């Protein structure tokens, strides 16, 4: 593709050299540059890509996209104000705008994103369409699975994935859109059909610093991304979350749809037990009766969200009902490992998520409710005592352990969690996560429930700068086997 076509649509400050040369690849990592590549120099938090231009040229780069004038280079370059913002559009141009040829659904919010992607994937498959999913657990389509290094991949990799999906016949793509991705403009160049905002509660404040900034980041999906789409767009949002409702009502889009007790989609009846959920929902398209094996009030909101997206896209009600009923569980989300005692592994790693899961499990528990959890190192420290308070207010016994400590001392993290524990609530400190899980299960009686929270589907533990194989589900199964329970 000619350089001038690759840069079409971006705001250019200055150009230098021949823009008609052919570009055979794009990279923003000098180590992966090949012959006739465009090298995009991005100034990041730790490294400045402009310092690696020489290396990129040595590896064969034939053109540059930069933020400042470059002296002494013999290749064409284009200067822009923000190369990070330009990268998404450039990548979309290079791969032929794949999102324009598919129905693209973007889901943001603190909790519920992953479960909703599974529900939508099942619904769309029941409707007879090929579907791709880009999210926290993996990137998958047509039997292909790729590891998810980020919930939302980089702008360049994202367009590459969309192009691969398009070539494989995928017609719908369901994507989790993280707050980091929105701020870092990773979804620039994506043309969405639907934006969904599930809820908001404190998370990632190590990065966003304040709740106001976190909300502003999430709001970008409705206020900028949908606005830039060349399609008719829907904004679908949780009317029971006041902040989300406010953002939804001012969304820059073609149509809006809310869900919740006072939403456009609302429950007329709702029943739940250990076997799942039954609900009768009122919608602008008429009443819909839904049954799901998923449990918990929070999953009712995920069901309503998935239903809203599906109806907005014109999917048949029967396919919606069959699709929802077909999702038996989601990896690491209220995943049942054992029955007696009931052992649940859940990704809950925020105060709001932990509280919701514990409240649901408390309703289903006749004995003690035991929770095993920790908090991630080098992440938002303000949530640590909050999670301690929530755990001790709802559980009978709290087992504090290590999560992904990264470069922090696990005992220091645990001490900060302990600051929030309520007086008189029994707790144990067992820094070794394997031992913590074994001890919780060893102590449990058959009528008890054990929640192992924080890591969910993850198959590793980050200690220092190493990823060590570790899976809460495997460890729980081993502990149950050792106790001769299953």
């Amino acid at each position: 593709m000619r350089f001038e076509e690759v840069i079409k649509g971006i705001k250019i400050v200055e150009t230098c050299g021949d823009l008609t040369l052919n570009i055979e690849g794009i990279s923003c990592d000098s180590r992966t540059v090949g012959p006739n590549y465009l090298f995009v120099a991005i100034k990041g938090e730790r490294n400045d890509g402009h310092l690696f231009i020489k290396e990129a040229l040595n590896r064969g780069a034939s053109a540059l996209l930069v933020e400042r004038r470059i002296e002494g280079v013999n290749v064409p370059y284009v200067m822009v104000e923000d190369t990070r913002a330009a990268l998404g559009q450039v990548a979309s141009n290079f791969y032929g705008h794949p999102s324009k040829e598919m129905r693209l659904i973007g889901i943001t919010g603190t909790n519920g994103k992953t479960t909703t992607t599974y529900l939508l994937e099942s619904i769309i498959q029941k409707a007879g369409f090929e579907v791709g999913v880009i999210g926290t657990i993996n990137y998958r389509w047509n039997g292909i699975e790729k590891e998810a290094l980020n919930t939302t991949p980089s702008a360049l990799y994202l367009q590459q994935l969309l192009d691969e999906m398009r070539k494989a016949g995928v017609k719908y793509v369901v994507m989790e859109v993280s707050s980091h991705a929105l701020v870092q403009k990773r979804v620039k160049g994506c043309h969405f059909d639907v934006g969904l905002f599930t809820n908001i509660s404190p998370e990632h404040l190590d990065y966003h610093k304040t709740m106001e900034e976190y909300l502003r980041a999430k709001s970008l999906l409705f206020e900028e991304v949908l606005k830039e789409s060349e399609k008719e767009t829907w904004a679908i949002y949780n009317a029971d979350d006041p902040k989300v409702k406010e953002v939804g009502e001012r969304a820059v889009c073609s149509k809006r749809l809310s869900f919740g007790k006072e939403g456009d989609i609302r429950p007329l009846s709702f029943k739940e037990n250990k076997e799942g959920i039954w609900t009768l929902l009122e919608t602008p398209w008429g009443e819909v009766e839904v049954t799901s094996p998923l449990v918990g009030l929070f999953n009712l909101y995920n069901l309503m969200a998935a239903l809203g997206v599906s109806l907005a896209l014109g999917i048949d009600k029967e396919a919606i009902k069959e699709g929802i009923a077909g999702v038996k569980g989601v990896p690491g989300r209220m995943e049942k490992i054992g029955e007696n005692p009931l052992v649940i592994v859940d990704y809950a790693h925020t105060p709001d998520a932990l509280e919701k899961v514990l409240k649901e499990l408390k309703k289903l528990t006749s004995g003690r409710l035991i929770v095993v959890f920790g908090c991630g190192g080098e992440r938002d420290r303000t949530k640590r005592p909050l999670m301690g308070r929530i755990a001790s207010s709802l559980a009978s016994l709290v087992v504090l352990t290590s999560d992904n400590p990264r470069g922090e001392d696990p005992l220091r993290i645990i001490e900060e969690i302990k600051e929030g524990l309520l007086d008189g609530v029994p707790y144990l400190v067992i820094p070794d996560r394997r031992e913590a899980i074994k001890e919780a299960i060893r102590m449990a009686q058959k009528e008890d429930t054990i929640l192992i929270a924080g890591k969910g589907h993850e198959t590793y533990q980050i200690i220092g700068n190493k990823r060590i194989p570790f899976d809460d589900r495997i460890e729980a199964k081993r502990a149950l086997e050792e106790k001769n329970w299953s």
Side-chain angles (χ1 to χ4, degrees):
M1 180 180 286
R2 288 155 66 105
F3 190 16
E4 60 189 357
E5 295 171 338
V6 174
I7 60 173
K8 189 176 181 179
I10 66 173
K11 294 180 180 179
I12 296 173
V13 174
E14 180 181 302
T15 65
C16 178
D18 178 15
L19 302 186
T20 65
L21 82 165
N22 194 50
I23 299 297
E24 297 181 12
I26 303 173
S27 178
C28 52
D29 182 341
S30 60
R31 296 168 296 182
T32 62
V33 168
N36 300 317
Y37 267 48
L38 168 65
F39 176 62
V40 183
I42 293 176
K43 188 175 181 180
E45 294 178 24
R46 297 180 180 178
N47 295 310
D48 184 351
H50 295 80
L51 301 177
F52 298 89
I53 286 175
K54 184 176 180 181
E55 181 181 348
L57 294 173
N58 289 338
R59 289 180 179 269
S62 59
L64 304 171
L65 185 64
V66 296
E67 290 182 3
R68 55 178 181 260
R69 189 174 287 110
I70 305 299
E71 304 292 345
V73 298
N74 58 359
V75 300
Y77 69 81
V78 170
M79 185 166 69
V80 296
E81 290 183 357
D82 185 348
T83 50
R84 189 187 294 277
L87 179 59
Q89 183 62 48
V90 166
S92 181
N93 291 342
F94 183 78
Y95 286 105
H97 309 287
S99 62
K100 289 184 179 181
E101 299 179 33
M102 300 182 285
R103 310 297 295 274
L104 185 59
I105 304 151
I107 305 175
T108 200
T110 306
N111 300 310
K113 298 187 296 299
T114 299
T115 298
T116 306
T117 66
Y118 272 79
L119 290 166
L120 284 167
E121 178 184 31
S122 180
I123 289 167
I124 294 166
Q125 287 173 338
K126 290 293 183 182
F129 299 102
E130 296 291 346
V131 58
V133 178
I134 297 173
T136 303
I137 293 178
N138 55 30
Y139 312 143
R140 60 189 184 273
W141 69 97
N142 288 13
I144 297 170
E145 288 189 9
K146 296 192 176 186
E147 182 183 2
L149 298 178
N150 296 299
T151 294
T152 312
S154 69
L156 186 57
Y157 187 31
L158 174 55
Q159 295 299 327
Q160 180 185 328
L161 281 173
L162 292 173
D163 182 46
E164 289 182 38
M165 291 180 182
R166 174 182 57 178
K167 290 174 179 175
V170 169
K171 300 301 180 185
Y172 288 76
V173 176
V174 187
M175 183 196 312
E176 295 183 48
V177 184
S178 68
S179 57
H180 292 73
L182 288 163
V183 169
Q184 295 169 10
K185 309 182 191 302
R186 295 183 213 161
V187 292
K188 285 283 185 180
C190 289
H191 297 270
F192 286 89
D193 295 84
V194 177
L196 168 64
F197 198 159
T198 61
N199 50 57
I200 193 160
S201 61
E203 172 69 324
H204 302 307
L205 298 188
D206 55 307
Y207 181 82
H208 297 291
K209 305 307 179 187
T210 65
M211 274 300 295
E212 290 73 21
E213 284 301 304
Y214 179 45
L215 177 61
R216 187 193 68 79
K218 291 289 191 186
S219 303
L220 292 173
L221 179 63
F222 280 9
E223 296 176 355
E224 288 189 12
V225 176
L226 291 185
K227 181 181 178 181
E228 293 170 358
S229 176
E230 294 181 8
K231 301 175 179 178
E232 180 181 86
T233 55
W234 282 84
I236 300 177
Y237 58 92
N238 183 349
D240 292 347
D241 188 314
K243 294 294 185 184
V244 172
K245 181 181 180 182
E246 183 181 335
V247 173
E249 289 177 345
R250 65 170 187 261
V252 183
C253 60
S254 307
K255 297 180 180 180
R256 299 179 184 83
L257 182 69
S258 63
F259 61 91
K261 295 175 184 176
E262 303 300 324
D264 300 314
I265 296 174
R266 68 186 71 184
L268 298 175
S269 305
F270 172 64
K271 297 176 184 177
E272 66 169 326
N273 54 35
K274 286 186 177 182
E275 280 66 54
I277 291 170
W278 173 89
T279 183
L280 179 64
L281 298 167
E282 181 181 344
T283 84
W285 293 265
E287 294 181 358
V288 181
E289 184 178 342
V290 175
T291 302
S292 168
L294 304 181
V295 298
L297 181 61
F298 54 87
N299 272 319
L300 171 62
Y301 282 84
N302 295 332
L303 298 182
M304 288 192 287
L307 175 69
V309 170
S310 303
L311 291 172
L313 291 172
I315 293 176
D316 179 76
K317 287 181 184 177
E318 286 305 311
I320 295 172
K321 293 163 67 173
E322 289 179 22
I324 289 174
V327 178
K328 306 302 181 186
V330 178
R333 272 64 176 175
M334 288 289 277
E335 187 171 351
K336 189 185 295 183
I337 307 302
E339 291 278 2
N340 297 301
L342 178 61
V343 180
I344 298 291
V345 169
D346 193 87
Y347 191 52
H349 62 286
T350 68
D352 181 59
L354 184 64
E355 182 174 25
K356 286 176 178 175
V357 171
L358 284 171
K359 282 183 175 179
E360 291 301 326
L361 291 177
K362 193 164 187 175
K363 289 189 291 186
L364 303 174
T365 302
S366 60
R368 295 182 302 167
L369 176 55
I370 301 169
V371 58
V372 181
F373 83 103
C375 289
E378 298 176 3
R379 296 295 185 267
D380 180 15
R381 293 173 60 185
T382 63
K383 71 180 183 182
R384 295 172 184 175
L386 294 176
M387 293 181 72
R389 179 181 57 79
I390 289 165
S392 60
S393 66
L394 293 168
S396 312
L397 172 65
V398 178
V399 181
L400 299 178
T401 189
S402 184
D403 190 286
N404 291 324
R406 300 182 175 86
E408 280 195 70
D409 179 355
L411 288 175
R412 178 187 170 187
I413 296 172
I414 289 171
E415 284 300 317
E416 293 185 5
I417 300 172
K418 283 173 59 179
E419 291 174 9
L421 295 178
L422 299 178
D423 292 339
V425 177
Y427 72 90
L428 298 174
V429 172
I430 307 176
D432 185 307
R433 193 171 181 93
R434 179 176 289 110
E435 292 303 317
I437 292 169
K438 286 175 63 175
E439 181 62 14
I441 290 174
R442 187 193 66 79
M443 296 173 63
Q445 302 299 311
K446 290 194 174 183
E447 66 273 14
D448 294 341
T449 296
I450 302 163
L451 170 65
I452 305 168
K455 290 178 57 59
H457 65 282
E458 293 179 353
T459 57
Y460 57 83
Q461 196 171 17
I462 305 174
I463 300 175
N465 59 2
K466 294 181 180 179
R467 282 194 175 203
I468 298 169
F470 190 93
D471 190 320
D472 284 351
R473 298 163 295 184
I474 292 173
E475 298 304 328
K477 287 174 184 176
R478 284 175 179 165
L480 285 168
E481 288 170 1
E482 286 180 14
K483 195 167 181 175
N484 295 319
W485 280 349
S486 61

